[in-house]
Amino acid sequence: MKPTYPLKQLYFYLTAGCNLACRHCWIAPTFQAENRSFPELSVDLFHSIIEQAKSLGLSAVKLTGGEPLLHARILELIRGIREENLVLTLETNGVLCTPELAREISAGKGPMEPLVRLAERLGAGSVKFNVIQPTARGEKMHQAGEALPIRELVELGDWVENTLSAATNLPVCFSHPAAFRPLGRMFGKQGDGCSLCEILGILGVLADGSYALCGIGETVPELVFGHAARDRLEEVWRGNPVLQDLREGLPHRFEGICGQCLMKRVCLGSCVAQNYYRSKSLWAGFWYCEEAHQEGLFPETRLQKGE
């Protein structure tokens, strides 16, 4: 009997535009100035998708973009998530955040050390530092040598995990793969599971209403699975060939360093979308781990014996 996979979380990429043009962005949305606007997700589609997803196991929603706070009816969307008693995660550059928006967001479930201290003073629930991914604009930064080299990333991650995290009561996460995280920080009493991708339990919804693996659908059309206006969510979730392939192939079909890693059942390749973007293979190794292994920086204790 095949296992069933609940749809735990929906990622809503609410807007195709963004009010900033950050050069590290892994999606690279179009810059949206005052006199230019770009597609945003229909509110009716949003509510329809939520309603369909509830019977599939939905428990959480992430609002992202583009820039989610550009959505003309963002307050309505946030309130609707709260009324459904769903966990809310909001990814925003914060420029458009108003006191009213901040109150609505906080009502839901949902240099580095100075930033942590600022987060403490502001009453934040956690702090996450994301590594620049070599996708879209971020790829150009990597190619130009403007991103940190792998040795510095590994050293920085070790400092965050073992020094910075110990100096605050806030959960602090550095988005490196599970193989580089202390086991106690993931599975101990104070473990947070942070940086573990829930690829088998998530689905992306793009600003035009398309279903996709995640935001990677903006730049990789073969990872777009249908459209909310014409395709039933259950049929997409249960029947899409790419999603079925992932369910049947993870983690035993991983190649490269991910295939050798003891953490592959937990990490699930760190970011399958990123791996596919770089190699056109769902089973390729994650760039961070591949580069660390080439430099002799990958933890030997996390490799299968004999590898």
Side-chain angles (χ1 to χ4, degrees):
M1 185 175 179
K2 288 186 177 181
T4 58
Y5 292 89
L7 175 53
K8 298 177 182 178
Q9 186 172 21
L10 286 167
Y11 288 9
F12 284 99
Y13 298 83
L14 293 180
T15 61
C18 183
N19 57 325
L20 297 182
C22 302
R23 62 194 185 117
H24 63 267
C25 185
W26 74 279
I27 295 180
T30 306
F31 178 68
Q32 183 164 322
E34 289 185 7
N35 59 342
R36 302 174 69 201
S37 61
F38 296 92
E40 63 180 30
L41 183 67
S42 157
V43 172
D44 289 341
L45 277 182
F46 176 86
H47 289 303
S48 173
I49 293 166
I50 293 286
E51 189 61 32
Q52 293 179 67
K54 284 158 49 176
S55 63
L56 298 175
L58 185 68
S59 60
V61 168
K62 178 190 285 187
L63 302 182
T64 181
E67 169 49 49
L69 300 189
L70 278 172
H71 196 286
R73 296 167 68 179
I74 184 64
L75 275 171
E76 179 182 340
L77 301 183
I78 291 172
R79 288 166 181 162
I81 292 167
R82 193 170 72 249
E83 288 169 2
E84 294 288 355
N85 199 32
L86 298 169
V87 176
L88 169 65
T89 301
L90 183 70
E91 288 186 338
T92 173
N93 57 44
V95 172
L96 301 175
C97 192
T98 64
E100 183 182 14
L101 270 170
R103 285 193 296 271
E104 291 293 340
I105 294 165
S106 64
K109 296 177 184 176
M112 298 176 84
E113 187 165 359
L115 279 174
V116 171
R117 302 306 169 213
L118 175 62
E120 291 172 337
R121 293 196 298 273
L122 294 175
S126 63
V127 176
K128 182 181 180 184
F129 296 101
N130 286 317
V131 173
I132 295 175
Q133 299 297 324
T135 310
R137 293 188 194 131
E139 183 178 22
K140 295 178 182 178
M141 290 189 67
H142 276 260
Q143 292 171 346
E146 296 174 336
L148 288 179
I150 191 65
R151 183 173 296 276
E152 289 186 37
L153 285 173
V154 172
E155 292 173 354
L156 186 59
D158 182 74
W159 177 76
V160 171
E161 297 279 13
N162 297 297
T163 302
L164 182 59
S165 295
T168 178
N169 291 324
L170 279 180
V172 177
C173 177
F174 186 82
S175 65
H176 53 185
F180 294 83
R181 300 204 68 206
L183 293 178
R185 293 264 291 135
M186 291 188 288
F187 307 117
K189 289 183 178 180
Q190 303 300 319
D192 52 26
C194 190
S195 83
L196 306 181
C197 180
E198 298 286 349
I199 186 63
L200 296 178
I202 65 171
L203 189 69
V205 183
L206 305 184
D208 66 356
S210 297
Y211 293 122
L213 184 66
C214 62
I216 201 70
E218 295 282 5
T219 51
V220 183
E222 59 266 37
L223 295 182
V224 174
F225 306 145
H227 195 282
R230 62 175 181 268
D231 300 303
R232 292 182 63 242
L233 176 57
E234 183 175 7
E235 292 176 356
V236 172
W237 180 247
R238 301 201 187 285
N240 179 266
V242 173
L243 296 178
Q244 290 182 334
D245 206 17
L246 287 171
R247 292 161 188 163
E248 294 170 1
L250 291 176
H252 63 273
R253 289 182 62 183
F254 277 132
E255 302 163 353
I257 191 65
C258 289
Q260 305 169 30
C261 183
L262 292 172
M263 302 299 293
K264 62 186 176 185
R265 293 183 181 277
V266 175
C267 183
L268 296 181
S270 191
C271 182
V272 168
Q274 171 68 59
N275 302 343
Y276 185 88
Y277 179 91
R278 287 170 58 83
S279 68
K280 298 302 180 184
S281 169
L282 295 171
W283 319 115
F286 189 55
W287 69 271
Y288 187 110
C289 298
E290 294 286 0
E291 290 188 18
H293 189 243
Q294 292 169 8
E295 294 288 330
L297 301 171
F298 193 90
E300 293 294 328
T301 56
R302 302 292 170 88
L303 289 175
Q304 296 175 7
K305 291 182 178 179
E307 298 291 354

